Structure formats: C-alpha cells, structure tokens
Amino acid sequence: MALLEVRDLHVGIEGCEILRGLDLAVNAGEVHAIMGPNGSGKSTLSHVISGKPGYQVSAGQILFNGEDLLAMEASERATRGVFLAFQYPVEIPGATTMNFLRAALNAQRKARAQTEFSTPDFIKRVREVANSLNIPQGMLKRGLNVGFSGGEKKRNEILQMALLEPSLCILDEIDSGLDIDALRIVAGGINALRSSERAMIVISHYRRLLDYIVPDVIHVMSKGQIRKSGGKELALELEACGYAQFEDAA
Amino acid sequence: MKQVVTKTAAGRATDNVFAAAHGRLPGSGLVAHIRARAFEAYERAGLPQRIEAWKYTDLRALMGAVLPLAPRPDAAALVRAAASVKQTAVDRAVKLVLVDGVFVPELSDVDSLEDGVAVRSLREVLEDTTDSAMAGLVLSTTTDAVISLNAAMATDGFVITIADGEAVKRPIQIVHVTTGSLVSNFTRSYLQLGQGAHAALVESFVSAEGASGYQTNDATIALVGDEANLSHIRLAADAADAVHISSSIIAVGAKAKLDFFSMTCSGSVSRYQGFVTLTGEGSKLSANAVNLIRHKQHVDTTMVVDHAVPHCTSREKFRAVIDECGRSVLQGRIVVRPGAQKTDATLTTRALLLSDEARADNKPELEILADDVTCGHGSTSGALDGALVFYLRARGLSEKDAQALLIGAFLGEAIEEIVPESLRDFVTAQTEHWMQARR
C-alpha cells in the first residue's frame, strides 16, 4: 500500500476547477518531484493534501496510510504525519520561534499519546537541529519569521520538519527566493531527513533544485493533471524542451 | 410657569443608599461634610449618560441603580473570601485585603511590610479626629460623577506611604473581594511614593464563590515623587454578572517613571478610567491595557494622559480581544498643555474580533496646545488572519490552540513591558486561563 494515494482528484476554488482528475501514488522512502509551469495546480495540490480551507473537492480521494485524509482537519493531518513546508511562511510578531516550536511539537506528541518533551530536552534538541541548518540561536528568540530573510524563513521550515519528524513532507517551492548558498543548506537539511520511513514531495518549477535533491520519480504537471511521470532523466528532457510539449497532451 | 422635576429611578435609589449607609461611613465633622457635598455633586449629575467622557458606556442604562451598601462580612463570608484571596495572591506580594469594602487584617500581611513602608486603613485615618488634614482624602478633585459617589460612600481602603529613597522589594497587592450578592461596595486608597523610591502596586478585584450581581466602585489616588519609579498593575476579574467601576488619579513627578498595566477579564459591565498627569519635567509613562471580553460583557478602558510640563514621554498600548457578543471600548486622550514643549506621546489601540457579533469602539484623541511636540495615535480592529491560523493548524495545533497562540501574540506587546517579571508571568497565566475557558 502506498503511503499517499491520490485518486482522480478534482478540486476547485471559487467555482474555478484547478485540479482535473489528478492521480498520484507515493511510497514510503521515495522522493517525488512535481514540476510544472505556474498555474498548473502544484500549490493547490499541496494545500489540499495539508487541509487548507477554501477549496472545494468535487470528486476523488486522498488516502494516507489507507485512511481518508479529506475527512480530517488540518491539525489532525499534521499529527498523523503530513507536513507542508510553505512557499510563503507566515510571520507572527509576538510569538517567539521557540514558543511556537514547543507548541507545535507538544501538540503533535500529545495527539500521538507521547509524553511532552521536558524543557531542557526540548531546548537541546532545537539547538542541535538549528546548528545543523546554520540557524543562529538569536533567531529562535525573535518573533516567528519576523525580520527573517527569505533564506532564513525556508531554513526555519526545515527546522520544523526536522523536529516534527513527519512521514510525508511536502515542500512547496522550497527553492524560491534562495541564493545558491542558502539552497545548498536547505537541500542538505532535506537530504538529511530522507529515510526509508519517510516520503517527500518536492514541488518546484526550476530543475536546478533537483541537482541538490535527487528524486526517485519526477512528475510533470499541467492544467491540473499529471501529464508524464518518469525517472530523473525526465528532468533533462524538461530542461531541453520546456513544459510546452505537455500543455496539450492527454 | 410650573416646572416639574422628575427624579430618575437611579437618583431615587441612591438617595436611599446614602441615607442608609450613613452610620457605616467613617469620619465625622469636616469629613462628613465633604462626603455630603460629594454626594450632592453625584446626585446633580446622576450616573453618567450621554456625556462625551462616557460616550460608549451609558452607565445609567447599563447599571440602572446603585445597590445598597454591602453589610460587613461575617465569619462565613471571610472563609469564602480567603479562598479567593489565595487564588489571586501574586507570588511574594504583601497582601492588603478588603472584603466587601472592609479591611480584613487577618487575611492581610501587614506584619511583613518592609521598612519605609507605612500602611493604615482609610477607616482608621478618617476616624482619627486629631488629624483634620486627612479630610482631604475624600475630596473629589474631578467632576466625574462616579468618583464623587466613591468619595461620598467609601467605607475603607488604604493609605500607603513609602519613604524617600526606599526600594521596596516585594510588590504590595491590594485584593478586593466581594462575597455578597446584589450589594455595592466602595473603596478608596492612596499611595504616596517618596522621592527616588521604587515600588510595585498590584490591585486585584475578585469575587468569592457564590457572589453575584454586585457593584464595586474603587478609586486609587497616587502621587509618584520626583525620580521615583512605580509599577502599577490592576487586574479586574469580578463575577461574570458584576458591575465594576474603578478610577485612578495619578500625578507623576520630575524624572519619575510610571509603568502602568490594566487588565479586565470578567464582569458584565466594567469601566476603568485612569487620569495620569505628568507634573514634573522628564517624567516617563508607559500605560498598557488589555480588555478580554466574552458573553455580553461590556468593558470600557479609558485613559486620559495630561502632559502638563515639557520634556515628558508617554507610551500607551491598548489591546482588546472580543468574543461572542462582547463589547469593548478603548478610549485614550492625550492632552498637551500650553508650554509642554518636547512632549513625546503615542497611543495605539487594537481590537481583535473573534465573532461576528463582537463590537469594538476605539477612540483615540489628541488635544495639543503646544507647538513643538511629537504625538501620534493609531487604531485598528479586525479578525484573526486565516492564513496564520492555517499555518499553525498545519503544524498540528487545534483550532482553539492556534487561536490561543495568536491571541497571546496579539496581547504580547501590551504584556511584555510589565515589570517585575513575576508579575508579567502572573498576567500571562491569567490570559491563558481566559483562553482555556473559551468555548
């Protein structure tokens, strides 16, 4: 059984259909890349899997470990192991990154009937992960993402991913707004989290990211459907021919 | 032409209240005379209605009439009050307890007052006929009717004097507990903080279990000496159906600093009004306030900051969180007197509306009569940002926990400046308690 199985998914927002019969199966241990032009529905797919309100699912299913994900609230999906690294992480002045991380981690541990981390253990754990991502300790004491650069915000997303240890990681345009050094750090953080227990969906419209995070499967998405799937060689084909060839396929 | 003067229901009821309370009000001679004048002033005005200073709080409509004075608490009432005092006590504070408007030494920590701190009960001071200067303690220095009523009816309170240069280590906490139902209580306290002295004053308003439908009216008058430093915190958590009115009148001397914080988180109708005058050059005021409102509660926080002299700074941050059918009023008026040059004053009021029925009235006002000043105000009202809520939910927080984190962040700006830190933690815990109780 696949960890994530999306079947014939049709999704609209404000009466406009964006996903038009999308199928996707992701097994534990695999890294899938979804590539496609702007407006092809990549971000919508990530939002619908993670439970963002405002979308209408008119047909289809999303199964996670065989369970109906669409029947769950966003927070329940998160506690079951779905993690979305946001394309545009929000800023919350007045809530320190540290307090936010503790609230998130404890909410998840509580939902899984695990004991909450003690304060010293929690701080030690955050410091270790933050160091590995070159996140200075001072940043953790500031308001969440307030005054953070684009690269710092993305590193903060990976920090959360590492702490929460999800089984499905969806990375929505994690490379946007990153310079080459920041991209290297972020990709290093993501690669460190690859494991046989965990699946990842990497969404991007730039092939460059795939030099750093080498996927097992690449999907090309256009007009709300997966138009073609293949191995990493598909990236080279895209590089040579662009997305145009997929626009009118299927 | 024949003129008919009709008394309102409120007027008639208070007549009886003052007459009935007569034997209970400490002080004779000049004190009694001043009280009678204060009551006349109150009667002429009646409970505030349709006046600018009370624009959004029609007290006559909301309160109806003044209820009879609460009887002196009996032994059973004191047992109930003790339980509330225990829950309300701030860590390390020296408690001064008023139950139903009566000082209760056995619930207070008068024996552990630090050197340089003198406390007498208002009753004791007013009954001391050898000290006629004390009659001034019931003088009403404003035309506000509820303060006049307080001057007329105050049964007890404290007169606290802190000597010059004393750095008082433990916070002084006045705890007001009401045990009765359908009664009123009136208290009045004075604080004189000597030159260069440092102190923290906390005022807490709570009810004993079973108390309901009561009215409380408190006034605090404080003089902050030159170069002194006062942290003044008031926390109103009265019974859900109580009417709470409190007023403070504070003068801040030269190069002195006042850190003020007020929070109201219960009561059906609440009005806090603070009148702060910066009377000495180079003084600094930080005044922050929080209204936490649910059900059909009406909470009005009104501050008037008077820059009477040059080179003073004031920073005011007001925050309201309104759930269900609650209504918040945040009024801030900054007055800069002629000649009060180099005044630096700002005021921000922000309201967070958690339901469609919630209502917020923010009224910042500037009255600037000098020409070389920096003054500003800002005001916003809005709902929680759905994008922020989703971000937190995508990290596993429940809807309620996500909202609580965002409300905490919203209030943080007003709370983070509370000193000392132990009081900040105490206030934060109160806000968390309020959020946990949300449906």
Side-chain angles (χ1 to χ4, degrees):
Chain A
M1 185 179 68
L3 178 71
L4 177 77
E5 199 169 350
V6 181
R7 292 181 188 159
D8 189 32
L9 189 66
H10 291 256
V11 174
I13 187 162
E14 287 162 7
C16 174
E17 191 170 46
I18 296 170
L19 300 184
R20 300 166 181 165
L22 186 136
D23 294 288
L24 177 69
V26 180
N27 295 311
E30 292 177 351
V31 174
H32 289 228
I34 297 181
M35 307 195 64
N38 287 327
S40 57
K42 305 185 300 294
S43 286
T44 295
L45 176 64
S46 72
H47 291 159
V48 173
I49 294 173
S50 53
K52 185 173 182 175
Y55 294 93
Q56 293 92 43
V57 178
S58 52
Q61 272 189 308
I62 305 178
L63 299 176
F64 182 65
N65 284 318
E67 290 187 282
D68 181 7
L69 206 59
L70 292 173
M72 298 177 203
E73 294 279 309
S75 45
E76 189 181 355
R77 299 181 200 197
T79 58
R80 299 277 183 120
V82 176
F83 181 91
L84 171 66
F86 282 63
Q87 181 177 5
Y88 303 109
V90 300
E91 297 182 8
I92 307 183
T96 65
T97 304
M98 209 65 176
N99 284 345
F100 158 73
L101 292 173
R102 190 196 306 259
L105 191 61
N106 285 337
Q108 299 218 2
R109 292 185 71 86
K110 199 172 138 195
R112 295 180 198 144
Q114 294 167 318
T115 53
E116 295 184 355
F117 266 115
S118 73
T119 302
D121 288 350
F122 168 77
I123 291 172
K124 187 164 169 260
R125 178 82 187 113
V126 173
R127 282 201 176 138
E128 279 169 14
V129 183
N131 284 338
S132 73
L133 290 164
N134 272 4
I135 294 174
Q137 301 297 323
M139 240 171 79
L140 302 173
K141 292 176 192 155
R142 302 214 310 254
L144 180 67
N145 289 326
V146 177
F148 287 21
S149 69
E152 286 170 335
K153 285 180 184 171
K154 295 299 172 85
R155 272 186 271 164
N156 198 2
E157 293 293 289
I158 306 306
L159 170 66
Q160 294 166 41
M161 192 166 106
L163 285 173
L164 297 173
E165 301 178 311
S167 50
L168 176 65
C169 308
I170 304 166
L171 301 140
D172 188 7
E173 308 269 1
I174 197 72
D175 52 335
S176 68
L178 295 188
D179 61 35
I180 201 76
D181 294 323
L183 179 59
R184 210 171 266 144
I185 293 168
V186 166
I190 294 166
N191 286 327
L193 292 171
R194 291 177 77 149
S195 89
S196 59
E197 309 292 309
R198 182 174 289 138
M200 294 188 185
I201 298 174
V202 180
I203 292 171
S204 180
H205 53 252
Y206 289 118
R207 196 200 57 83
R208 184 184 67 166
L209 177 65
L210 305 186
D211 291 341
Y212 296 93
I213 303 169
V214 180
D216 301 299
V217 184
I218 295 178
H219 306 278
V220 180
M221 194 168 167
S222 174
K223 295 183 179 168
Q225 288 182 336
I226 303 282
R227 301 289 178 174
K228 187 170 185 180
S229 302
K232 51 182 177 275
E233 67 286 349
L234 189 54
L236 299 171
E237 191 183 323
L238 280 173
E239 182 91 326
C241 311
Y243 292 120
Q245 57 173 319
F246 302 104
E247 297 278 298
D248 302 310
Chain B
M1 196 171 73
K2 193 179 161 192
Q3 253 192 331
V4 180
V5 179
T6 316
K7 270 195 172 182
T8 64
R12 257 195 309 279
T14 53
D15 256 353
N16 299 337
V17 164
F18 188 59
H22 210 63
R24 296 274 317 280
L25 306 177
S28 55
L30 186 55
V31 172
H33 177 74
I34 293 171
R35 281 188 189 274
R37 294 288 85 76
F39 191 74
E40 283 166 20
Y42 161 72
E43 267 205 314
R44 276 194 300 277
L47 290 170
Q49 183 175 47
R50 292 189 209 104
I51 55 173
E52 192 59 25
W54 291 74
K55 185 172 178 180
Y56 303 103
T57 301
D58 181 338
L59 202 62
R60 208 173 298 179
L62 290 166
M63 186 167 144
V66 177
L67 294 167
L69 198 62
R72 290 185 63 88
D74 59 17
L78 292 182
V79 170
R80 284 161 60 226
S84 296
V85 170
K86 206 173 167 189
Q87 284 170 11
T88 313
V90 167
D91 191 32
R92 293 183 62 250
V94 175
K95 295 188 299 296
L96 301 172
V97 178
L98 294 161
V99 178
D100 298 332
V102 175
F103 171 44
V104 182
E106 53 273 37
L107 293 179
S108 305
D109 304 319
V110 273
D111 294 337
S112 50
L113 286 167
E114 291 169 50
D115 289 346
V117 181
V119 175
R120 294 173 77 194
S121 79
L122 182 72
R123 174 170 288 273
E124 182 194 340
V125 173
L126 293 178
E127 285 176 344
D128 184 353
T129 51
T130 61
D131 196 349
S132 62
M134 289 301 174
L137 293 180
V138 286
L139 264 182
S140 190
T141 53
T142 79
T143 54
D144 190 278
V146 300
I147 299 178
S148 298
L149 180 63
N150 178 281
M153 299 283 292
T155 51
D156 215 338
F158 300 101
V159 178
I160 305 168
T161 316
I162 295 170
D164 291 352
E166 287 295 335
V168 183
K169 291 183 194 72
R170 295 170 64 185
I172 297 166
Q173 184 181 19
I174 300 176
V175 184
H176 300 257
V177 190
T178 303
T179 69
S181 297
L182 301 174
V183 291
S184 64
N185 54 62
F186 297 86
T187 50
R188 194 171 178 93
S189 292
Y190 291 80
L191 169 69
Q192 185 160 4
L193 187 61
Q195 189 175 349
H198 288 234
L201 175 69
V202 183
E203 288 180 280
S204 303
F205 298 84
V206 292
S207 60
E209 207 180 332
S212 76
Y214 61 85
Q215 298 167 350
T216 188
N217 180 333
D218 177 70
T220 300
I221 292 100
L223 294 174
V224 182
D226 292 351
E227 293 168 36
N229 195 323
L230 176 66
S231 176
H232 183 194
I233 288 158
R234 58 175 299 284
L235 303 167
D238 275 291
D241 57 357
V243 174
H244 171 106
I245 299 164
S246 60
S247 314
S248 49
I249 301 166
I250 306 175
V252 185
K255 294 181 187 164
K257 187 164 184 283
L258 171 62
D259 288 298
F260 174 81
F261 177 80
S262 168
M263 183 161 81
T264 303
C265 59
S266 190
S268 73
V269 177
S270 303
R271 158 87 167 198
Y272 167 73
Q273 45 183 5
F275 303 90
V276 180
T277 307
L278 301 171
T279 56
E281 290 194 21
S283 60
K284 285 192 168 70
L285 165 71
S286 156
N288 296 343
V290 167
N291 291 350
L292 298 179
I293 308 168
R294 63 161 68 93
H295 308 313
K296 289 182 178 171
Q297 293 165 348
H298 176 114
V299 180
D300 176 340
T301 298
T302 294
M303 291 281 296
V304 178
V305 174
D306 189 341
H307 283 259
V309 294
H311 296 288
C312 295
T313 305
S314 63
R315 293 282 175 271
E316 296 173 85
K317 290 182 201 140
F318 299 169
R319 300 286 181 267
V321 179
I322 313 136
D323 203 359
E324 300 173 298
C325 302
R327 181 171 178 192
S328 167
V329 178
L330 292 172
Q331 300 188 109
R333 185 156 160 245
I334 297 169
V335 182
V336 181
R337 299 283 165 190
Q341 305 294 11
K342 304 292 178 190
T343 287
D344 180 355
T346 61
L347 162 67
T348 61
T349 60
R350 291 178 65 195
L352 183 58
L353 303 157
L354 298 177
S355 85
D356 293 340
E357 290 77 35
R359 176 171 167 182
D361 291 296
N362 296 332
K363 191 177 83 168
E365 275 182 287
L366 297 176
E367 186 183 331
I368 301 172
L369 306 168
D371 57 9
D372 183 12
V373 302
T374 309
C375 291
H377 67 75
S379 172
T380 60
S381 293
L384 280 174
D385 183 338
L388 303 188
V389 174
F390 173 63
Y391 187 83
L392 296 173
R393 301 208 63 194
R395 295 297 175 255
L397 274 69
S398 67
E399 179 83 23
K400 197 175 152 184
D401 287 348
Q403 290 192 359
L405 189 142
L406 293 172
I407 295 166
F410 173 81
L411 296 176
E413 264 188 287
I415 290 173
E416 70 192 8
E417 288 169 5
I418 295 174
V419 282
E421 207 170 326
S422 59
L423 290 177
R424 188 186 319 152
D425 294 344
F426 185 82
V427 170
T428 303
Q430 302 258 305
T431 62
E432 284 166 1
H433 181 73
W434 185 85
M435 289 188 277
Q436 284 306 316
R438 281 187 67 214
R439 277 180 287 199

